Amino acid sequence: AQKVTQAQTEISVVEKEDVTLDCVYETRDTTYYLFWYKQPPSGELVFLIRRNSFDEQNEISGRYSWNFQKSTSSFNFTITASQVVDSAVYFCALSNPGYSTLTFGKGTMLLVSP
Amino acid sequence: GAGVSQSPRYKVAKRGQDVALRCDPISGHVSLFWYQQALGQGPEFLTYFQNEAQLDKSGLPSDRFFAERPEGSVSTLKIQRTQQEDSAVYLCASSLAVGAGEPYEQYFGPGTRLTVT
């Protein structure tokens, strides 16, 4: 069975602080895919990144960066110089190849105050 | 372009009523997924369609839940004899295709918030 754990329920930071959201996953599959989604108050899940299990390179996209470590089964997400607009619930998710049903974690609510 | 749309956005039902939730996927998207998101939780998979074929319904919590996509486009999730534990946000997602390799990105709709009183 697959499982995604986001141990941080809620994080509060002040604007311009850096913040890291943790994600730990469990799977018996050798090939799998990891995702991060953002859910703003409007409710619509917004895709941020997809990473496959064979690619452990870290990725940076603007203020966002992701650290994938297979050895610790973790796929952490860092926002540099956070902004108020980053306030949302962030979900980490896991899927297999194929029709790609997503298994989500419980999410981390990020509150960025001015 | 138009994203995934869902209607109604909000639905209040009395316990025992039947409800129907609609999803309009992005045009041309082959795959369609339904998820249930309880308050404070992550979305949980309900069912999956590839075109009009329902290939996986393992996440449907009971036989009161039924989904269809008769023409391979619009999908409807129906819940019969609603109960309070059915209260949740129901999310629909579509993706371009499926294959044996890397999964395509799923695009989510805004969801339907169902409250059963």
Side-chain angles (χ1 to χ4, degrees), chain B residues 9-110:
Chain B
R9 290 294 312 277
Y10 303 91
K11 176 70 179 177
V12 178
K14 290 186 177 177
R15 192 173 67 172
Q17 283 185 334
D18 298 347
V19 298
L21 312 180
R22 177 187 169 104
C23 172
D24 280 87
I26 293 173
S27 177
H29 277 197
V30 168
S31 299
L32 186 144
F33 304 80
W34 283 98
Y35 293 85
Q36 180 190 59
Q37 185 176 19
L39 189 64
Q41 303 294 314
E44 292 192 356
F45 170 76
L46 292 177
T47 187
Y48 160 70
F49 289 86
Q50 184 176 337
N51 294 308
E52 68 277 5
Q54 187 175 23
L55 299 186
D56 187 346
K57 54 182 181 179
S58 62
L60 296 177
S62 77
D63 58 8
R64 297 185 295 104
F65 287 70
F66 172 76
E68 60 182 5
R69 194 186 184 197
E71 296 179 357
S73 177
V74 171
S75 176
T76 304
L77 176 67
K78 297 179 180 177
I79 309 173
Q80 298 177 324
R81 304 181 303 282
T82 53
Q83 299 179 6
Q84 284 192 319
E85 60 261 32
D86 299 334
S87 296
V89 175
Y90 291 85
L91 295 166
C92 175
S94 69
S95 69
L96 190 58
V98 292
E102 187 153 333
Y104 287 83
E105 174 187 343
Q106 292 185 27
Y107 294 83
F108 283 81

Side-chain angles (χ1 to χ4, degrees), chain A residues 15-32:
Chain A
E15 212 170 14
K16 297 185 183 177
E17 284 186 17
D18 298 348
V19 58
T20 295
L21 310 181
D22 298 333
C23 173
V24 174
Y25 61 91
E26 296 175 30
T27 180
R28 294 180 181 176
D29 298 301
T30 55
T31 301
Y32 52 88

Side-chain angles (χ1 to χ4, degrees), chain A residues 30-97:
Chain A
T30 55
T31 301
Y32 52 88
Y33 299 86
L34 295 161
F35 300 76
W36 277 93
Y37 279 84
K38 175 181 180 180
Q39 188 175 42
S42 61
E44 200 162 325
L45 282 159
V46 177
F47 168 81
L48 296 177
I49 190 171
R50 173 184 50 229
R51 175 64 91 217
N52 74 53
S53 52
F54 298 108
D55 183 1
E56 289 193 68
Q57 279 191 333
N58 291 336
E59 182 155 340
I60 298 174
S61 176
R63 296 184 297 107
Y64 296 169
S65 63
W66 290 270
N67 181 266
F68 176 30
Q69 292 197 335
K70 229 171 165 177
S71 60
T72 56
S73 298
S74 66
F75 186 45
N76 296 337
F77 173 32
T78 297
I79 301 174
T80 303
S82 59
Q83 300 176 1
V84 173
V85 293
D86 295 328
S87 296
V89 181
Y90 290 86
F91 290 96
C92 181
L94 172 67
S95 82
N96 293 329

